[in-house]
Amino acid sequence: NIAFCQRALGRYVTARRTFRRVVENPEGLASSQLDDSKAFVAELDKLIVHVALTLDPPAAQLTVDGRPLTAVTEAGATVYVALPAGSSAAGPTDKAFNLELDPGVHLFRAVRAGHQDAFVSRTYKPGEKTTLALHLDTLPARISIQSEPLQAIVRVDGREAGLAPIDI
């Protein structure tokens, strides 16, 4: 019943996971219910969006629709899915990975210290297979230099930058 509700709400990734658990452990189900569950898994496989995502730099924290990602291994393959709101997970650390989403509009947000946040909104059709590259630009750094004795010459990459103390 839970899988039927998830499917009706358009949460195809979650519904497929629930139906797969039912198929793996069919105790107490009639054969017709098991056949129906297998048919729903096949139907949902055709509706789920598959995104081959590239993240640069790799260790950036990525959320989809404000939700963190987690790795799920099903049918011998590891993919990432967005967790329910309020969950937390480490998320992907690889530069390239596969992501499964429900069809519709999704907001991707990638953040990492020292880099400009990346925001991308995409709309996906049912069953779409696509790619997405997220690149975070490096932010300029500031450095404050003090010296003893005062008024020492500060060089950066072999070039004189001024006298200490200095902010660059």
Side-chain angles (χ1 to χ4, degrees):
N1 289 336
I2 292 171
F4 286 113
C5 292
Q6 292 166 333
R7 179 178 166 266
L9 291 169
R11 297 182 181 156
Y12 301 142
V13 173
T14 306
R16 184 185 61 180
R17 288 179 59 205
T18 304
F19 276 121
R20 280 185 174 166
R21 284 195 300 270
V22 168
V23 169
E24 290 170 4
N25 186 11
E27 187 177 327
L29 286 182
S31 62
S32 64
Q33 291 174 310
L34 181 58
D35 291 342
D36 287 345
S37 294
K38 289 178 182 177
F40 282 121
V41 168
E43 173 194 310
L44 293 169
D45 280 340
K46 295 176 185 173
L47 297 174
I48 291 173
V49 175
H50 298 272
V51 180
L53 204 138
T54 305
L55 188 57
D56 181 34
Q61 180 186 7
L62 179 64
T63 58
V64 178
D65 304 326
R67 300 179 302 171
L69 303 181
T70 190
V72 174
T73 303
E74 290 182 339
T78 300
V79 297
Y80 283 85
V81 297
L83 293 172
S87 303
S88 64
T93 56
D94 296 332
K95 183 172 183 162
F97 55 93
N98 295 314
L99 177 64
E100 291 184 344
L101 299 168
D102 297 323
V105 179
H106 295 283
L107 177 64
F108 297 84
R109 179 178 182 230
V111 297
R112 183 172 176 181
H115 293 77
Q116 180 68 41
D117 294 356
F119 292 91
V120 175
S121 179
R122 292 284 189 273
T123 302
Y124 297 109
K125 297 176 187 170
E128 187 172 349
K129 290 177 176 39
T130 187
T131 60
L132 177 63
L134 294 175
H135 174 77
L136 285 74
D137 292 326
T138 304
L139 293 174
R142 292 199 54 80
I143 186 168
S144 179
I145 300 172
Q146 306 290 326
S147 72
E148 187 64 39
L150 292 175
Q151 302 296 311
I153 296 174
V154 175
R155 289 188 177 93
V156 177
D157 292 333
R159 292 184 167 174
E160 286 189 16
L163 300 175
I166 189 171
D167 287 326
I168 301 174

